[in-house]
Amino acid sequence: MSETKKTIEKVEEVKENPVVAKLKEYGINVETIKNIEEKLGVETLEDLYVLEVEDLTGVGLKLAKARRLVSDLKKEQKATVMSEATTKAAAIPPALEMLLPSVPTDESWLTALKTGGILKVDDSSYIAAIRAALADRAGLYNVPEALAKAMEKYADETEEQVDPTFYALRKSLTRRAYGDIFAAIDGLDGSFITEGRRSEFLGRIRTTLWPAIAESYQALDAWYETRRSNLLDPSMLSASIVGALNGSSAVGMLPPPDTSPLHDAADTLVNSINRVFRGTGVQIVAAMAYEANNIRNTLEDPRLPSMVGVKNRELMLKKIGASVSSNYVRLEQNLVKYVLGFVKHDTITSDAEVDYFVALWQLGSQINWSELGVTKPERGGVKSLTGKNIL
């Protein structure tokens, strides 16, 4: 067997190796990849994460490429750790989860939207606002154009006739048809949703809705931390025991922190959403949420990655520079449930209020807020999307 054939087989053999696949994404040649594996002892992606720039340049990698690789790997490692931490977050006890509002399926939500959700503000409108906000934050609305261009470019590069499905998928990505949801309003059609109205609406989302969502979590987290501190405070526990011995009505129970700040945050959140709906906002948010839902569903089509020359959905999104994460659906589901839970706080009776907010906090703790541009400093507070402390 010739040396050339051995080399080819060697390359084919390691194609599925995640380390090799990662390094080849950066255009690193086979010889340098071999040095990284053998001289630096890299066998897994975890081994790659601990490398420094000097390690890589020492085995033949150019400085600029080494710096970019290390920078990207550290970001990837951080994202992986945060994602795992979110996944491992304590599940909400069933008894508490039952207190929170349920999130309708896509089918029932779309039905509600089509049969009246765009005529008035109801749950379907609230869900639409949250979905549109997340789609904007994740860059989902930019994906169709970028993906369509990538599909056309790859078709040109391969110099082959494209499959007929190319046109069908491209159409499903780029068209904006809202006839289904606007059928309930005479005279309203897709031409009403202009770029100007879309941009103005997204401006409302960014400056009004996201800060209110961030503030609600800040207030909720501060309340929960106070409650937890009280439970662990020996003096508070001692006072509770003394009160119980003296016949206190709250036998053996510590008084929960004041929930007034949570009610205030919820009112602010409701008012912010309603401001987003002002004028024709209800119709625009319905259209944009409907559009986001269609884009999200189309991205699940297994034929798309091969049409841009990659193996899977994650590589496809990476190739076009999209920041839509693999857990987008789960993030959307939790965020919708969290916001609905906050805006419906006034439906809970006072005797169940504490348990309700505890359940809401546990749900909030499962949301990867960093993906939403909301960071939680070690000492108090959540930062808004502008990076400023709220409250």
Side-chain angles (χ1 to χ4, degrees), residues 243-257:
L245 293 175
N246 291 333
S248 170
S249 58
V251 179
M253 297 294 292
L254 292 171

Side-chain angles (χ1 to χ4, degrees), residues 89-285:
I92 307 173
L96 291 181
E97 187 169 19
M98 288 177 62
L99 296 172
L100 299 175
S102 59
V103 178
T105 62
D106 281 357
E107 290 76 15
S108 58
W109 168 69
L110 285 171
T111 298
L113 209 59
K114 293 174 184 178
T115 57
I118 59 171
L119 296 175
K120 60 184 183 301
V121 176
D122 60 9
D123 280 2
S124 65
S125 302
Y126 275 73
I127 294 171
I130 302 161
R131 286 184 162 181
L134 182 58
D136 175 51
R137 178 65 198 174
L140 191 65
Y141 294 121
N142 299 324
V143 168
E145 182 179 359
L147 193 53
K149 288 180 179 179
M151 290 165 67
E152 290 189 35
K153 182 179 179 182
Y154 183 68
D156 290 338
E157 290 173 350
T158 57
E159 297 183 353
E160 296 180 358
Q161 290 291 320
V162 296
D163 188 278
T165 56
F166 166 85
Y167 300 103
L169 287 172
R170 187 181 183 283
K171 180 179 179 181
S172 67
L173 282 166
T174 56
R175 69 178 177 180
R176 291 174 180 171
Y178 312 116
D180 287 347
I181 58 170
F182 288 158
I185 302 180
D186 184 35
L188 181 60
D189 57 35
S191 63
F192 181 78
I193 312 299
T194 63
E195 283 301 324
R197 288 191 173 100
R198 286 167 57 90
S199 298
E200 195 274 338
F201 167 76
L202 291 177
R204 299 184 196 180
I205 289 287
R206 295 163 189 165
T207 60
T208 303
L209 182 55
W210 276 121
I213 292 175
E215 181 179 345
S216 74
Y217 186 64
Q218 191 272 343
L220 182 62
D221 188 63
W223 176 86
Y224 185 84
E225 285 301 311
T226 300
R227 178 178 180 274
R228 189 175 67 87
S229 298
N230 287 348
L231 291 174
L232 298 176
D233 188 337
S235 63
M236 293 289 287
L237 183 60
S238 176
S240 176
I241 295 173
V242 170
L245 293 175
N246 291 333
S248 170
S249 58
V251 179
M253 297 294 292
L254 292 171
D258 182 19
T259 58
S260 295
L262 301 184
H263 289 276
D264 292 341
D267 290 342
T268 298
L269 183 55
V270 170
N271 291 335
S272 296
I273 296 177
N274 288 337
R275 282 200 296 275
V276 168
F277 290 145
R278 70 183 183 271
T280 57
V282 175
Q283 288 72 44
I284 297 172
V285 76

Side-chain angles (χ1 to χ4, degrees), residues 274-340:
N274 288 337
R275 282 200 296 275
V276 168
F277 290 145
R278 70 183 183 271
T280 57
V282 175
Q283 288 72 44
I284 297 172
V285 76
M288 297 201 67
Y290 181 72
E291 179 184 336
N293 195 63
N294 289 341
I295 295 171
R296 192 191 70 187
N297 290 335
T298 302
L299 287 179
E300 298 302 326
D301 193 306
R303 297 170 295 179
L304 277 176
S306 63
M307 292 187 176
V308 296
V310 295
K311 295 180 180 179
N312 54 49
R313 178 178 180 274
E314 285 66 34
L315 289 176
M316 174 184 73
L317 294 173
K318 184 171 183 178
K319 183 172 183 177
I320 64 174
S323 57
V324 181
S325 65
S326 59
N327 68 333
Y328 182 91
V329 174
R330 181 173 180 271
L331 178 62
E332 180 186 80
Q333 184 83 358
N334 284 343
L335 186 64
V336 167
K337 189 168 186 175
Y338 170 83
V339 175
L340 282 182

Side-chain angles (χ1 to χ4, degrees), residues 79 84 143 155 257 281 320 348 361 365 369:
E84 289 177 351
V143 168
I320 64 174
I348 302 301
W361 180 87
S365 69
W369 293 100

